[in-house]
Amino acid sequence: MHKIGVIVRKEWSEVFKNRLVLGTVGFMPLMLTALPLVILGVMGTEGGLGDVGTSDMPAAFARMCEGLSGGECGQYFFVTEFLLLYMLMPLMIPVTIAAYSIVGEKSTRTLEPLLATPITTVELLAGKGLAAALPAIAATWLSFAVFVLGARLLGVGPRLMAKIVDPMWLMAIFLVGPLLAVTSVSFAVMISSRVNEPRVAEQLSGLVALPLLALFFGQVSGLILLNSSLVLWMALGLLALDTVLVAFAVQLFQRESILTRWK
């Protein structure tokens, strides 16, 4: 664990000097926290969009509004669209960090000495993976906490607040979020092990977000309804997927091959 901690601290000291990384970690949480709060504020004003009726929503979602007024249901409908975008944070933020932490070391010539140390491949990738995943998870959790606090300050009613912190939201943020971060890191490590340019690694690693974006657009169009059951199945599927991806990433990261190819 000591070796892993040393790698994490080393990665943070180097990676966060990059303005692109800092911008990604800072801008996305800020935007995805501010937008739903603005929506809640606008819809809560007199004559706002909170007057949208349940007839304008998918029937399945309208059933999820049990106990809410028409205005509260309208607010909940629009804000729920951002739940999948909250899950986008732990998926996209690690891509930038993980891609830079491996391929970016080629230009600085710091990976070769690191690979020559007695540290194992598992310890090396665990350190780099945690360095990429932890900021994303922390940013997601902090953003959600700020969103909940902001909703309270905006005077959101207790019934709507109960919906915002119901099991579906909590599982998505605190369970699915970290699992998505592991998925993102594993995918980025596999890509970074095979390419020589940080930008190429980042662009290819960004493809990992496509399934979640497809789910988002499916929800917006009414083809998919995000509920507790779907979020739970997502968590179970990601747990199985992460197990396979982590094992594959370790096998794919061949130290001798990387050193030879990058010379």
mmCIF file with all atom_site columns, all heavy atoms in Angstrom, residues 15-43:
data_model
loop_
_atom_site.group_PDB
_atom_site.id
_atom_site.type_symbol
_atom_site.label_atom_id
_atom_site.label_alt_id
_atom_site.label_comp_id
_atom_site.label_asym_id
_atom_site.label_entity_id
_atom_site.label_seq_id
_atom_site.pdbx_PDB_ins_code
_atom_site.Cartn_x
_atom_site.Cartn_y
_atom_site.Cartn_z
_atom_site.occupancy
_atom_site.B_iso_or_equiv
_atom_site.pdbx_formal_charge
_atom_site.auth_seq_id
_atom_site.auth_comp_id
_atom_site.auth_asym_id
_atom_site.auth_atom_id
_atom_site.pdbx_PDB_model_num
ATOM 1   N N   . VAL A 1 15 ? 0.299   15.477 -12.718 1.00 0.00 ? 15 VAL A N   1
ATOM 2   C CA  . VAL A 1 15 ? -0.869  15.608 -13.599 1.00 0.00 ? 15 VAL A CA  1
ATOM 3   C C   . VAL A 1 15 ? -1.583  16.934 -13.399 1.00 0.00 ? 15 VAL A C   1
ATOM 4   O O   . VAL A 1 15 ? -1.998  17.588 -14.373 1.00 0.00 ? 15 VAL A O   1
ATOM 5   C CB  . VAL A 1 15 ? -1.841  14.432 -13.364 1.00 0.00 ? 15 VAL A CB  1
ATOM 6   C CG1 . VAL A 1 15 ? -3.174  14.691 -14.060 1.00 0.00 ? 15 VAL A CG1 1
ATOM 7   C CG2 . VAL A 1 15 ? -1.234  13.137 -13.881 1.00 0.00 ? 15 VAL A CG2 1
ATOM 8   N N   . PHE A 1 16 ? -1.710  17.385 -12.149 1.00 0.00 ? 16 PHE A N   1
ATOM 9   C CA  . PHE A 1 16 ? -2.493  18.591 -11.897 1.00 0.00 ? 16 PHE A CA  1
ATOM 10  C C   . PHE A 1 16 ? -1.733  19.876 -12.196 1.00 0.00 ? 16 PHE A C   1
ATOM 11  O O   . PHE A 1 16 ? -2.230  20.970 -11.944 1.00 0.00 ? 16 PHE A O   1
ATOM 12  C CB  . PHE A 1 16 ? -3.025  18.590 -10.464 1.00 0.00 ? 16 PHE A CB  1
ATOM 13  C CG  . PHE A 1 16 ? -4.165  17.616 -10.264 1.00 0.00 ? 16 PHE A CG  1
ATOM 14  C CD1 . PHE A 1 16 ? -3.998  16.476 -9.501  1.00 0.00 ? 16 PHE A CD1 1
ATOM 15  C CD2 . PHE A 1 16 ? -5.382  17.829 -10.872 1.00 0.00 ? 16 PHE A CD2 1
ATOM 16  C CE1 . PHE A 1 16 ? -5.032  15.575 -9.331  1.00 0.00 ? 16 PHE A CE1 1
ATOM 17  C CE2 . PHE A 1 16 ? -6.429  16.936 -10.716 1.00 0.00 ? 16 PHE A CE2 1
ATOM 18  C CZ  . PHE A 1 16 ? -6.251  15.799 -9.951  1.00 0.00 ? 16 PHE A CZ  1
ATOM 19  N N   . LYS A 1 17 ? -0.537  19.745 -12.731 1.00 0.00 ? 17 LYS A N   1
ATOM 20  C CA  . LYS A 1 17 ? 0.143   20.906 -13.299 1.00 0.00 ? 17 LYS A CA  1
ATOM 21  C C   . LYS A 1 17 ? -0.386  21.199 -14.699 1.00 0.00 ? 17 LYS A C   1
ATOM 22  O O   . LYS A 1 17 ? -0.143  22.282 -15.237 1.00 0.00 ? 17 LYS A O   1
ATOM 23  C CB  . LYS A 1 17 ? 1.648   20.649 -13.367 1.00 0.00 ? 17 LYS A CB  1
ATOM 24  C CG  . LYS A 1 17 ? 2.330   20.525 -12.016 1.00 0.00 ? 17 LYS A CG  1
ATOM 25  C CD  . LYS A 1 17 ? 3.801   20.212 -12.185 1.00 0.00 ? 17 LYS A CD  1
ATOM 26  C CE  . LYS A 1 17 ? 4.493   20.020 -10.837 1.00 0.00 ? 17 LYS A CE  1
ATOM 27  N NZ  . LYS A 1 17 ? 5.927   19.658 -10.991 1.00 0.00 ? 17 LYS A NZ  1
ATOM 28  N N   . ASN A 1 18 ? -1.093  20.236 -15.282 1.00 0.00 ? 18 ASN A N   1
ATOM 29  C CA  . ASN A 1 18 ? -1.635  20.376 -16.628 1.00 0.00 ? 18 ASN A CA  1
ATOM 30  C C   . ASN A 1 18 ? -2.959  21.136 -16.567 1.00 0.00 ? 18 ASN A C   1
ATOM 31  O O   . ASN A 1 18 ? -3.898  20.729 -15.881 1.00 0.00 ? 18 ASN A O   1
ATOM 32  C CB  . ASN A 1 18 ? -1.839  18.979 -17.234 1.00 0.00 ? 18 ASN A CB  1
ATOM 33  C CG  . ASN A 1 18 ? -2.234  19.033 -18.688 1.00 0.00 ? 18 ASN A CG  1
ATOM 34  O OD1 . ASN A 1 18 ? -3.309  19.525 -19.016 1.00 0.00 ? 18 ASN A OD1 1
ATOM 35  N ND2 . ASN A 1 18 ? -1.382  18.510 -19.556 1.00 0.00 ? 18 ASN A ND2 1
ATOM 36  N N   . ARG A 1 19 ? -3.047  22.241 -17.277 1.00 0.00 ? 19 ARG A N   1
ATOM 37  C CA  . ARG A 1 19 ? -4.253  23.074 -17.232 1.00 0.00 ? 19 ARG A CA  1
ATOM 38  C C   . ARG A 1 19 ? -5.476  22.360 -17.803 1.00 0.00 ? 19 ARG A C   1
ATOM 39  O O   . ARG A 1 19 ? -6.602  22.590 -17.359 1.00 0.00 ? 19 ARG A O   1
ATOM 40  C CB  . ARG A 1 19 ? -4.017  24.377 -17.996 1.00 0.00 ? 19 ARG A CB  1
ATOM 41  C CG  . ARG A 1 19 ? -2.999  25.295 -17.336 1.00 0.00 ? 19 ARG A CG  1
ATOM 42  C CD  . ARG A 1 19 ? -2.870  26.603 -18.100 1.00 0.00 ? 19 ARG A CD  1
ATOM 43  N NE  . ARG A 1 19 ? -1.910  27.502 -17.451 1.00 0.00 ? 19 ARG A NE  1
ATOM 44  C CZ  . ARG A 1 19 ? -1.608  28.714 -17.916 1.00 0.00 ? 19 ARG A CZ  1
ATOM 45  N NH1 . ARG A 1 19 ? -2.201  29.151 -19.043 1.00 0.00 ? 19 ARG A NH1 1
ATOM 46  N NH2 . ARG A 1 19 ? -0.738  29.465 -17.275 1.00 0.00 ? 19 ARG A NH2 1
ATOM 47  N N   . LEU A 1 20 ? -5.247  21.503 -18.811 1.00 0.00 ? 20 LEU A N   1
ATOM 48  C CA  . LEU A 1 20 ? -6.364  20.766 -19.392 1.00 0.00 ? 20 LEU A CA  1
ATOM 49  C C   . LEU A 1 20 ? -7.003  19.851 -18.353 1.00 0.00 ? 20 LEU A C   1
ATOM 50  O O   . LEU A 1 20 ? -8.233  19.757 -18.260 1.00 0.00 ? 20 LEU A O   1
ATOM 51  C CB  . LEU A 1 20 ? -5.878  19.946 -20.586 1.00 0.00 ? 20 LEU A CB  1
ATOM 52  C CG  . LEU A 1 20 ? -6.920  19.024 -21.242 1.00 0.00 ? 20 LEU A CG  1
ATOM 53  C CD1 . LEU A 1 20 ? -8.076  19.852 -21.798 1.00 0.00 ? 20 LEU A CD1 1
ATOM 54  C CD2 . LEU A 1 20 ? -6.287  18.189 -22.351 1.00 0.00 ? 20 LEU A CD2 1
ATOM 55  N N   . VAL A 1 21 ? -6.175  19.189 -17.557 1.00 0.00 ? 21 VAL A N   1
ATOM 56  C CA  . VAL A 1 21 ? -6.695  18.311 -16.513 1.00 0.00 ? 21 VAL A CA  1
ATOM 57  C C   . VAL A 1 21 ? -7.463  19.114 -15.474 1.00 0.00 ? 21 VAL A C   1
ATOM 58  O O   . VAL A 1 21 ? -8.575  18.753 -15.069 1.00 0.00 ? 21 VAL A O   1
ATOM 59  C CB  . VAL A 1 21 ? -5.552  17.523 -15.851 1.00 0.00 ? 21 VAL A CB  1
ATOM 60  C CG1 . VAL A 1 21 ? -6.065  16.708 -14.679 1.00 0.00 ? 21 VAL A CG1 1
ATOM 61  C CG2 . VAL A 1 21 ? -4.876  16.617 -16.870 1.00 0.00 ? 21 VAL A CG2 1
ATOM 62  N N   . LEU A 1 22 ? -6.879  20.219 -15.036 1.00 0.00 ? 22 LEU A N   1
ATOM 63  C CA  . LEU A 1 22 ? -7.547  21.059 -14.046 1.00 0.00 ? 22 LEU A CA  1
ATOM 64  C C   . LEU A 1 22 ? -8.873  21.595 -14.576 1.00 0.00 ? 22 LEU A C   1
ATOM 65  O O   . LEU A 1 22 ? -9.874  21.642 -13.852 1.00 0.00 ? 22 LEU A O   1
ATOM 66  C CB  . LEU A 1 22 ? -6.635  22.225 -13.649 1.00 0.00 ? 22 LEU A CB  1
ATOM 67  C CG  . LEU A 1 22 ? -5.422  21.875 -12.771 1.00 0.00 ? 22 LEU A CG  1
ATOM 68  C CD1 . LEU A 1 22 ? -4.556  23.102 -12.567 1.00 0.00 ? 22 LEU A CD1 1
ATOM 69  C CD2 . LEU A 1 22 ? -5.875  21.309 -11.439 1.00 0.00 ? 22 LEU A CD2 1
ATOM 70  N N   . GLY A 1 23 ? -8.891  21.975 -15.844 1.00 0.00 ? 23 GLY A N   1
ATOM 71  C CA  . GLY A 1 23 ? -10.126 22.479 -16.439 1.00 0.00 ? 23 GLY A CA  1
ATOM 72  C C   . GLY A 1 23 ? -11.200 21.422 -16.509 1.00 0.00 ? 23 GLY A C   1
ATOM 73  O O   . GLY A 1 23 ? -12.375 21.694 -16.240 1.00 0.00 ? 23 GLY A O   1
ATOM 74  N N   . THR A 1 24 ? -10.802 20.189 -16.851 1.00 0.00 ? 24 THR A N   1
ATOM 75  C CA  . THR A 1 24 ? -11.773 19.099 -16.936 1.00 0.00 ? 24 THR A CA  1
ATOM 76  C C   . THR A 1 24 ? -12.351 18.763 -15.575 1.00 0.00 ? 24 THR A C   1
ATOM 77  O O   . THR A 1 24 ? -13.564 18.586 -15.414 1.00 0.00 ? 24 THR A O   1
ATOM 78  C CB  . THR A 1 24 ? -11.105 17.846 -17.533 1.00 0.00 ? 24 THR A CB  1
ATOM 79  O OG1 . THR A 1 24 ? -10.581 18.164 -18.818 1.00 0.00 ? 24 THR A OG1 1
ATOM 80  C CG2 . THR A 1 24 ? -12.114 16.718 -17.676 1.00 0.00 ? 24 THR A CG2 1
ATOM 81  N N   . VAL A 1 25 ? -11.482 18.681 -14.571 1.00 0.00 ? 25 VAL A N   1
ATOM 82  C CA  . VAL A 1 25 ? -11.925 18.330 -13.223 1.00 0.00 ? 25 VAL A CA  1
ATOM 83  C C   . VAL A 1 25 ? -12.804 19.420 -12.639 1.00 0.00 ? 25 VAL A C   1
ATOM 84  O O   . VAL A 1 25 ? -13.743 19.143 -11.889 1.00 0.00 ? 25 VAL A O   1
ATOM 85  C CB  . VAL A 1 25 ? -10.708 18.068 -12.317 1.00 0.00 ? 25 VAL A CB  1
ATOM 86  C CG1 . VAL A 1 25 ? -11.145 17.825 -10.876 1.00 0.00 ? 25 VAL A CG1 1
ATOM 87  C CG2 . VAL A 1 25 ? -9.921  16.866 -12.818 1.00 0.00 ? 25 VAL A CG2 1
ATOM 88  N N   . GLY A 1 26 ? -12.518 20.682 -12.986 1.00 0.00 ? 26 GLY A N   1
ATOM 89  C CA  . GLY A 1 26 ? -13.263 21.789 -12.404 1.00 0.00 ? 26 GLY A CA  1
ATOM 90  C C   . GLY A 1 26 ? -14.518 22.181 -13.160 1.00 0.00 ? 26 GLY A C   1
ATOM 91  O O   . GLY A 1 26 ? -15.572 22.418 -12.553 1.00 0.00 ? 26 GLY A O   1
ATOM 92  N N   . PHE A 1 27 ? -14.439 22.247 -14.502 1.00 0.00 ? 27 PHE A N   1
ATOM 93  C CA  . PHE A 1 27 ? -15.549 22.798 -15.283 1.00 0.00 ? 27 PHE A CA  1
ATOM 94  C C   . PHE A 1 27 ? -16.759 21.872 -15.310 1.00 0.00 ? 27 PHE A C   1
ATOM 95  O O   . PHE A 1 27 ? -17.894 22.329 -15.116 1.00 0.00 ? 27 PHE A O   1
ATOM 96  C CB  . PHE A 1 27 ? -15.083 23.084 -16.714 1.00 0.00 ? 27 PHE A CB  1
ATOM 97  C CG  . PHE A 1 27 ? -16.185 23.568 -17.609 1.00 0.00 ? 27 PHE A CG  1
ATOM 98  C CD1 . PHE A 1 27 ? -16.696 24.844 -17.473 1.00 0.00 ? 27 PHE A CD1 1
ATOM 99  C CD2 . PHE A 1 27 ? -16.739 22.727 -18.574 1.00 0.00 ? 27 PHE A CD2 1
ATOM 100 C CE1 . PHE A 1 27 ? -17.724 25.295 -18.290 1.00 0.00 ? 27 PHE A CE1 1
ATOM 101 C CE2 . PHE A 1 27 ? -17.768 23.168 -19.391 1.00 0.00 ? 27 PHE A CE2 1
ATOM 102 C CZ  . PHE A 1 27 ? -18.257 24.460 -19.253 1.00 0.00 ? 27 PHE A CZ  1
ATOM 103 N N   . MET A 1 28 ? -16.541 20.588 -15.561 1.00 0.00 ? 28 MET A N   1
ATOM 104 C CA  . MET A 1 28 ? -17.672 19.674 -15.693 1.00 0.00 ? 28 MET A CA  1
ATOM 105 C C   . MET A 1 28 ? -18.516 19.597 -14.414 1.00 0.00 ? 28 MET A C   1
ATOM 106 O O   . MET A 1 28 ? -19.746 19.729 -14.479 1.00 0.00 ? 28 MET A O   1
ATOM 107 C CB  . MET A 1 28 ? -17.192 18.277 -16.105 1.00 0.00 ? 28 MET A CB  1
ATOM 108 C CG  . MET A 1 28 ? -18.324 17.287 -16.351 1.00 0.00 ? 28 MET A CG  1
ATOM 109 S SD  . MET A 1 28 ? -17.755 15.654 -16.884 1.00 0.00 ? 28 MET A SD  1
ATOM 110 C CE  . MET A 1 28 ? -17.176 16.046 -18.538 1.00 0.00 ? 28 MET A CE  1
ATOM 111 N N   . PRO A 1 29 ? -17.925 19.416 -13.233 1.00 0.00 ? 29 PRO A N   1
ATOM 112 C CA  . PRO A 1 29 ? -18.748 19.411 -12.018 1.00 0.00 ? 29 PRO A CA  1
ATOM 113 C C   . PRO A 1 29 ? -19.471 20.730 -11.799 1.00 0.00 ? 29 PRO A C   1
ATOM 114 O O   . PRO A 1 29 ? -20.631 20.736 -11.358 1.00 0.00 ? 29 PRO A O   1
ATOM 115 C CB  . PRO A 1 29 ? -17.730 19.138 -10.900 1.00 0.00 ? 29 PRO A CB  1
ATOM 116 C CG  . PRO A 1 29 ? -16.605 18.443 -11.579 1.00 0.00 ? 29 PRO A CG  1
ATOM 117 C CD  . PRO A 1 29 ? -16.522 19.065 -12.938 1.00 0.00 ? 29 PRO A CD  1
ATOM 118 N N   . LEU A 1 30 ? -18.797 21.844 -12.092 1.00 0.00 ? 30 LEU A N   1
ATOM 119 C CA  . LEU A 1 30 ? -19.421 23.147 -11.901 1.00 0.00 ? 30 LEU A CA  1
ATOM 120 C C   . LEU A 1 30 ? -20.647 23.298 -12.799 1.00 0.00 ? 30 LEU A C   1
ATOM 121 O O   . LEU A 1 30 ? -21.718 23.736 -12.355 1.00 0.00 ? 30 LEU A O   1
ATOM 122 C CB  . LEU A 1 30 ? -18.406 24.256 -12.196 1.00 0.00 ? 30 LEU A CB  1
ATOM 123 C CG  . LEU A 1 30 ? -18.905 25.692 -12.041 1.00 0.00 ? 30 LEU A CG  1
ATOM 124 C CD1 . LEU A 1 30 ? -19.312 25.962 -10.599 1.00 0.00 ? 30 LEU A CD1 1
ATOM 125 C CD2 . LEU A 1 30 ? -17.822 26.681 -12.484 1.00 0.00 ? 30 LEU A CD2 1
ATOM 126 N N   . MET A 1 31 ? -20.506 22.916 -14.064 1.00 0.00 ? 31 MET A N   1
ATOM 127 C CA  . MET A 1 31 ? -21.602 23.055 -15.018 1.00 0.00 ? 31 MET A CA  1
ATOM 128 C C   . MET A 1 31 ? -22.774 22.152 -14.649 1.00 0.00 ? 31 MET A C   1
ATOM 129 O O   . MET A 1 31 ? -23.937 22.576 -14.653 1.00 0.00 ? 31 MET A O   1
ATOM 130 C CB  . MET A 1 31 ? -21.110 22.722 -16.423 1.00 0.00 ? 31 MET A CB  1
ATOM 131 C CG  . MET A 1 31 ? -22.191 22.811 -17.497 1.00 0.00 ? 31 MET A CG  1
ATOM 132 S SD  . MET A 1 31 ? -21.613 22.273 -19.119 1.00 0.00 ? 31 MET A SD  1
ATOM 133 C CE  . MET A 1 31 ? -21.367 20.509 -18.815 1.00 0.00 ? 31 MET A CE  1
ATOM 134 N N   . LEU A 1 32 ? -22.472 20.879 -14.305 1.00 0.00 ? 32 LEU A N   1
ATOM 135 C CA  . LEU A 1 32 ? -23.541 19.929 -14.034 1.00 0.00 ? 32 LEU A CA  1
ATOM 136 C C   . LEU A 1 32 ? -24.166 20.125 -12.659 1.00 0.00 ? 32 LEU A C   1
ATOM 137 O O   . LEU A 1 32 ? -25.173 19.486 -12.341 1.00 0.00 ? 32 LEU A O   1
ATOM 138 C CB  . LEU A 1 32 ? -23.005 18.497 -14.170 1.00 0.00 ? 32 LEU A CB  1
ATOM 139 C CG  . LEU A 1 32 ? -22.552 18.110 -15.574 1.00 0.00 ? 32 LEU A CG  1
ATOM 140 C CD1 . LEU A 1 32 ? -22.060 16.674 -15.609 1.00 0.00 ? 32 LEU A CD1 1
ATOM 141 C CD2 . LEU A 1 32 ? -23.683 18.303 -16.575 1.00 0.00 ? 32 LEU A CD2 1
ATOM 142 N N   . THR A 1 33 ? -23.576 20.981 -11.840 1.00 0.00 ? 33 THR A N   1
ATOM 143 C CA  . THR A 1 33 ? -24.208 21.356 -10.579 1.00 0.00 ? 33 THR A CA  1
ATOM 144 C C   . THR A 1 33 ? -25.064 22.601 -10.765 1.00 0.00 ? 33 THR A C   1
ATOM 145 O O   . THR A 1 33 ? -26.180 22.692 -10.232 1.00 0.00 ? 33 THR A O   1
ATOM 146 C CB  . THR A 1 33 ? -23.148 21.617 -9.499  1.00 0.00 ? 33 THR A CB  1
ATOM 147 O OG1 . THR A 1 33 ? -22.365 20.436 -9.305  1.00 0.00 ? 33 THR A OG1 1
ATOM 148 C CG2 . THR A 1 33 ? -23.801 21.995 -8.169  1.00 0.00 ? 33 THR A CG2 1
ATOM 149 N N   . ALA A 1 34 ? -24.562 23.553 -11.542 1.00 0.00 ? 34 ALA A N   1
ATOM 150 C CA  . ALA A 1 34 ? -25.265 24.815 -11.722 1.00 0.00 ? 34 ALA A CA  1
ATOM 151 C C   . ALA A 1 34 ? -26.541 24.647 -12.550 1.00 0.00 ? 34 ALA A C   1
ATOM 152 O O   . ALA A 1 34 ? -27.593 25.215 -12.210 1.00 0.00 ? 34 ALA A O   1
ATOM 153 C CB  . ALA A 1 34 ? -24.344 25.840 -12.368 1.00 0.00 ? 34 ALA A CB  1
ATOM 154 N N   . LEU A 1 35 ? -26.479 23.865 -13.636 1.00 0.00 ? 35 LEU A N   1
ATOM 155 C CA  . LEU A 1 35 ? -27.628 23.764 -14.544 1.00 0.00 ? 35 LEU A CA  1
ATOM 156 C C   . LEU A 1 35 ? -28.890 23.226 -13.864 1.00 0.00 ? 35 LEU A C   1
ATOM 157 O O   . LEU A 1 35 ? -29.963 23.820 -13.998 1.00 0.00 ? 35 LEU A O   1
ATOM 158 C CB  . LEU A 1 35 ? -27.261 22.922 -15.763 1.00 0.00 ? 35 LEU A CB  1
ATOM 159 C CG  . LEU A 1 35 ? -26.368 23.606 -16.801 1.00 0.00 ? 35 LEU A CG  1
ATOM 160 C CD1 . LEU A 1 35 ? -26.040 22.654 -17.939 1.00 0.00 ? 35 LEU A CD1 1
ATOM 161 C CD2 . LEU A 1 35 ? -27.055 24.850 -17.354 1.00 0.00 ? 35 LEU A CD2 1
ATOM 162 N N   . PRO A 1 36 ? -28.840 22.094 -13.147 1.00 0.00 ? 36 PRO A N   1
ATOM 163 C CA  . PRO A 1 36 ? -30.070 21.626 -12.509 1.00 0.00 ? 36 PRO A CA  1
ATOM 164 C C   . PRO A 1 36 ? -30.579 22.579 -11.431 1.00 0.00 ? 36 PRO A C   1
ATOM 165 O O   . PRO A 1 36 ? -31.796 22.684 -11.221 1.00 0.00 ? 36 PRO A O   1
ATOM 166 C CB  . PRO A 1 36 ? -29.686 20.257 -11.912 1.00 0.00 ? 36 PRO A CB  1
ATOM 167 C CG  . PRO A 1 36 ? -28.212 20.266 -11.823 1.00 0.00 ? 36 PRO A CG  1
ATOM 168 C CD  . PRO A 1 36 ? -27.744 21.122 -12.955 1.00 0.00 ? 36 PRO A CD  1
ATOM 169 N N   . LEU A 1 37 ? -29.666 23.298 -10.763 1.00 0.00 ? 37 LEU A N   1
ATOM 170 C CA  . LEU A 1 37 ? -30.111 24.275 -9.766  1.00 0.00 ? 37 LEU A CA  1
ATOM 171 C C   . LEU A 1 37 ? -30.827 25.446 -10.441 1.00 0.00 ? 37 LEU A C   1
ATOM 172 O O   . LEU A 1 37 ? -31.830 25.954 -9.923  1.00 0.00 ? 37 LEU A O   1
ATOM 173 C CB  . LEU A 1 37 ? -28.918 24.784 -8.955  1.00 0.00 ? 37 LEU A CB  1
ATOM 174 C CG  . LEU A 1 37 ? -28.332 23.794 -7.940  1.00 0.00 ? 37 LEU A CG  1
ATOM 175 C CD1 . LEU A 1 37 ? -27.098 24.393 -7.275  1.00 0.00 ? 37 LEU A CD1 1
ATOM 176 C CD2 . LEU A 1 37 ? -29.368 23.406 -6.892  1.00 0.00 ? 37 LEU A CD2 1
ATOM 177 N N   . VAL A 1 38 ? -30.313 25.868 -11.593 1.00 0.00 ? 38 VAL A N   1
ATOM 178 C CA  . VAL A 1 38 ? -30.986 26.934 -12.344 1.00 0.00 ? 38 VAL A CA  1
ATOM 179 C C   . VAL A 1 38 ? -32.375 26.473 -12.778 1.00 0.00 ? 38 VAL A C   1
ATOM 180 O O   . VAL A 1 38 ? -33.352 27.221 -12.684 1.00 0.00 ? 38 VAL A O   1
ATOM 181 C CB  . VAL A 1 38 ? -30.145 27.337 -13.574 1.00 0.00 ? 38 VAL A CB  1
ATOM 182 C CG1 . VAL A 1 38 ? -30.943 28.248 -14.499 1.00 0.00 ? 38 VAL A CG1 1
ATOM 183 C CG2 . VAL A 1 38 ? -28.856 28.025 -13.131 1.00 0.00 ? 38 VAL A CG2 1
ATOM 184 N N   . ILE A 1 39 ? -32.469 25.228 -13.230 1.00 0.00 ? 39 ILE A N   1
ATOM 185 C CA  . ILE A 1 39 ? -33.772 24.688 -13.647 1.00 0.00 ? 39 ILE A CA  1
ATOM 186 C C   . ILE A 1 39 ? -34.737 24.665 -12.477 1.00 0.00 ? 39 ILE A C   1
ATOM 187 O O   . ILE A 1 39 ? -35.905 25.062 -12.606 1.00 0.00 ? 39 ILE A O   1
ATOM 188 C CB  . ILE A 1 39 ? -33.593 23.281 -14.243 1.00 0.00 ? 39 ILE A CB  1
ATOM 189 C CG1 . ILE A 1 39 ? -32.888 23.373 -15.595 1.00 0.00 ? 39 ILE A CG1 1
ATOM 190 C CG2 . ILE A 1 39 ? -34.937 22.572 -14.397 1.00 0.00 ? 39 ILE A CG2 1
ATOM 191 C CD1 . ILE A 1 39 ? -32.563 22.034 -16.212 1.00 0.00 ? 39 ILE A CD1 1
ATOM 192 N N   . LEU A 1 40 ? -34.276 24.196 -11.323 1.00 0.00 ? 40 LEU A N   1
ATOM 193 C CA  . LEU A 1 40 ? -35.144 24.168 -10.140 1.00 0.00 ? 40 LEU A CA  1
ATOM 194 C C   . LEU A 1 40 ? -35.586 25.578 -9.763  1.00 0.00 ? 40 LEU A C   1
ATOM 195 O O   . LEU A 1 40 ? -36.743 25.807 -9.412  1.00 0.00 ? 40 LEU A O   1
ATOM 196 C CB  . LEU A 1 40 ? -34.414 23.525 -8.964  1.00 0.00 ? 40 LEU A CB  1
ATOM 197 C CG  . LEU A 1 40 ? -34.297 22.008 -8.955  1.00 0.00 ? 40 LEU A CG  1
ATOM 198 C CD1 . LEU A 1 40 ? -33.479 21.543 -7.766  1.00 0.00 ? 40 LEU A CD1 1
ATOM 199 C CD2 . LEU A 1 40 ? -35.668 21.345 -8.931  1.00 0.00 ? 40 LEU A CD2 1
ATOM 200 N N   . GLY A 1 41 ? -34.643 26.540 -9.849  1.00 0.00 ? 41 GLY A N   1
ATOM 201 C CA  . GLY A 1 41 ? -34.984 27.910 -9.493  1.00 0.00 ? 41 GLY A CA  1
ATOM 202 C C   . GLY A 1 41 ? -35.990 28.522 -10.442 1.00 0.00 ? 41 GLY A C   1
ATOM 203 O O   . GLY A 1 41 ? -36.958 29.156 -10.014 1.00 0.00 ? 41 GLY A O   1
ATOM 204 N N   . VAL A 1 42 ? -35.792 28.316 -11.752 1.00 0.00 ? 42 VAL A N   1
ATOM 205 C CA  . VAL A 1 42 ? -36.708 28.882 -12.748 1.00 0.00 ? 42 VAL A CA  1
ATOM 206 C C   . VAL A 1 42 ? -38.077 28.229 -12.656 1.00 0.00 ? 42 VAL A C   1
ATOM 207 O O   . VAL A 1 42 ? -39.114 28.907 -12.687 1.00 0.00 ? 42 VAL A O   1
ATOM 208 C CB  . VAL A 1 42 ? -36.128 28.706 -14.166 1.00 0.00 ? 42 VAL A CB  1
ATOM 209 C CG1 . VAL A 1 42 ? -37.165 29.073 -15.221 1.00 0.00 ? 42 VAL A CG1 1
ATOM 210 C CG2 . VAL A 1 42 ? -34.874 29.553 -14.332 1.00 0.00 ? 42 VAL A CG2 1
ATOM 211 N N   . MET A 1 43 ? -38.100 26.915 -12.501 1.00 0.00 ? 43 MET A N   1
ATOM 212 C CA  . MET A 1 43 ? -39.384 26.207 -12.456 1.00 0.00 ? 43 MET A CA  1
ATOM 213 C C   . MET A 1 43 ? -40.131 26.462 -11.165 1.00 0.00 ? 43 MET A C   1
ATOM 214 O O   . MET A 1 43 ? -41.352 26.298 -11.096 1.00 0.00 ? 43 MET A O   1
ATOM 215 C CB  . MET A 1 43 ? -39.169 24.705 -12.637 1.00 0.00 ? 43 MET A CB  1
ATOM 216 C CG  . MET A 1 43 ? -38.604 24.329 -13.989 1.00 0.00 ? 43 MET A CG  1
ATOM 217 S SD  . MET A 1 43 ? -38.385 22.554 -14.188 1.00 0.00 ? 43 MET A SD  1
ATOM 218 C CE  . MET A 1 43 ? -40.099 22.029 -14.263 1.00 0.00 ? 43 MET A CE  1
#
